[in-house]
Amino acid sequence: MASSSVPSWVALALLLLVALAATANGDDLSPGYYEKTCPNVQRVVRSVMASSVAAQPRMAPAVLRLFFHDCFINGCDASVLLDATPFSPGEKDVEPNVSLTGYTVIDDIKSALEHDCPATVSCADVIALASRDAVALLGGPTWSVPLGRKDSRFAADLVSTKNGLPSPHDDLGELIKMFSKLNLDARDMTALSGAHTVGMASCDTYRDRVYGTDRDEEIDPYFAQTTQQTCQGPSGKAPFDVQTPMRFDNAYYKNLIARRGLLSSDQTLYGGGGLQDSLVEMYSAEGEAFARDFAKAMVKMGNVPPPQGMPVEVRLKCSMANNY
């Protein structure tokens, strides 16, 4: 009588397949990834985002910022959403990330998706889609988002998180080096920096620039004087763009040319001459060129996978790894 047990080589092959699947991410991203398993994913994300932004407009730049901070640390794996545990610190608790918000919006989207398509859509894909919709809701471009990311089971260590994000005091060379680690070139960097056309920054990130103690960069005197006053204001914050702080447009680049970049890392993009200045001038004059390059760069950044061998999954709750 033949045995009904699975041959050992078959069992081994299955185990290897599971192991590979649990450490793979980003190899075959596709806009139609959920076409059969969760066909309404984009509608759900867009609907929750629209409601959230209508209630609290600041959630749009907040969600966009989440995507940047996630992808810069160990790739786009939703590790920035993980709460700290007794065994693992949380990226959200490290100094560059403590001012992040928008987590509740991502949780609301994930909850709606778990109702429609349980254990199917990753939190990493939720952030990618939500950030695209955030830009569109602010009047910016939209684009097709490749999907199929997985969520890491662990957050990055504290040192990697602290050192992996661009600093508001970085100069051009430092920024180019930082972005190049994600396979993003100077054009990508310049376009992605345009995300600072919306949202606010806290005084501690621009104090040195507006008080003249950072580097001997040129700064518009009136802009410096008025921005200094925000440091004494009740919120201690200033908008990146005073004229249209909640409109996703090309005003950011106009401000750089006028020496009104809020952060040192903003203003360093203009004034050194050459191709870098030409890019800023082009985006300042041609909003469509900025929108096109920004969308391309967002897709490129969104394709950055977590490190090879990182255990991944589709989390059921974005703030914690699944229990097995």
Side-chain angles (χ1 to χ4, degrees):
M1 182 175 176
S3 172
S4 61
S5 62
V6 178
S8 59
W9 68 268
V10 174
L12 179 60
L14 289 171
L15 286 172
L16 287 172
L17 182 61
V18 170
L20 286 171
T23 57
N25 194 16
D27 292 334
D28 298 302
L29 300 183
S30 166
Y33 185 82
Y34 298 110
E35 196 170 285
K36 295 181 179 179
T37 57
C38 194
N40 291 327
V41 58
Q42 308 235 13
R43 180 187 59 79
V44 171
V45 174
R46 191 175 299 113
S47 175
V48 177
M49 277 298 298
S51 298
S52 299
V53 173
Q56 297 185 75
R58 65 186 180 87
M59 286 297 103
V63 167
L64 178 58
R65 188 171 177 230
L66 271 179
F67 187 53
F68 275 78
H69 282 238
D70 183 46
C71 292
F72 263 84
I73 306 300
N74 281 352
C76 308
D77 61 352
S79 58
V80 72
L81 305 180
L82 287 169
D83 288 338
T85 71
F87 310 103
S88 175
E91 293 175 24
K92 61 176 67 173
D93 300 322
V94 180
E95 181 57 38
N97 288 338
V98 292
S99 61
L100 290 175
T101 57
Y103 299 109
T104 56
V105 180
I106 301 301
D107 288 342
D108 288 346
I109 296 171
K110 178 63 171 174
S111 178
L113 289 170
E114 283 301 305
H115 179 270
D116 287 6
C117 319
T120 301
V121 181
S122 69
C123 299
D125 278 344
V126 169
I127 303 177
L129 287 168
S131 63
R132 186 270 311 272
D133 291 345
V135 172
L137 287 165
L138 292 170
T142 188
W143 56 91
S144 180
V145 178
L147 300 169
R149 298 167 189 80
K150 296 296 185 290
D151 305 321
S152 66
R153 286 187 52 79
F154 305 103
D157 63 82
L158 299 179
V159 174
S160 296
T161 302
K162 186 173 182 178
N163 296 335
L165 290 164
S167 162
H169 310 290
D170 282 348
D171 61 26
L172 182 60
E174 291 166 334
L175 288 175
I176 290 174
K177 181 179 179 181
M178 187 72 71
F179 277 75
S180 68
K181 292 178 181 178
L182 276 67
N183 197 33
L184 299 169
D185 60 27
R187 190 181 188 108
D188 299 322
M189 175 197 69
T190 307
L192 289 170
S193 296
H196 280 179
T197 197
V198 294
M200 311 270 290
S202 59
C203 178
D204 61 298
T205 62
Y206 59 81
R207 182 191 302 275
D208 289 348
R209 171 159 163 75
V210 299
Y211 281 97
T213 58
D214 202 344
R215 289 189 294 270
D216 57 351
E217 298 169 325
E218 290 188 7
I219 184 170
D220 175 78
Y222 178 76
F223 173 75
Q225 182 181 11
T226 55
T227 308
Q228 287 172 13
Q229 296 172 12
T230 64
C231 288
Q232 282 77 49
S235 70
K237 295 181 178 181
F240 283 103
D241 172 37
V242 177
Q243 299 299 321
T244 56
M246 292 299 290
R247 184 188 306 162
F248 199 94
D249 54 22
N250 63 339
Y252 171 80
Y253 303 100
K254 299 178 189 292
N255 290 334
L256 297 186
I257 294 173
R259 298 176 299 146
R260 295 180 178 179
L262 184 59
L263 308 181
S264 293
S265 57
D266 291 324
Q267 193 60 53
T268 194
L269 298 181
Y270 188 76
L275 176 61
Q276 186 60 44
D277 278 13
S278 297
L279 279 172
V280 171
E281 290 164 0
M282 179 181 70
Y283 293 153
S284 172
E286 303 175 30
E288 290 185 2
F290 161 55
R292 180 184 64 248
D293 282 1
F294 181 83
K296 288 181 179 178
M298 283 289 281
V299 171
K300 190 173 178 180
M301 181 176 72
N303 288 342
V304 178
Q308 189 68 30
M310 171 73 75
V312 294
E313 63 188 3
V314 173
R315 283 185 225 138
L316 303 181
K317 186 176 180 181
C318 290
S319 60
M320 59 185 294
N322 297 337
N323 293 318
Y324 293 109

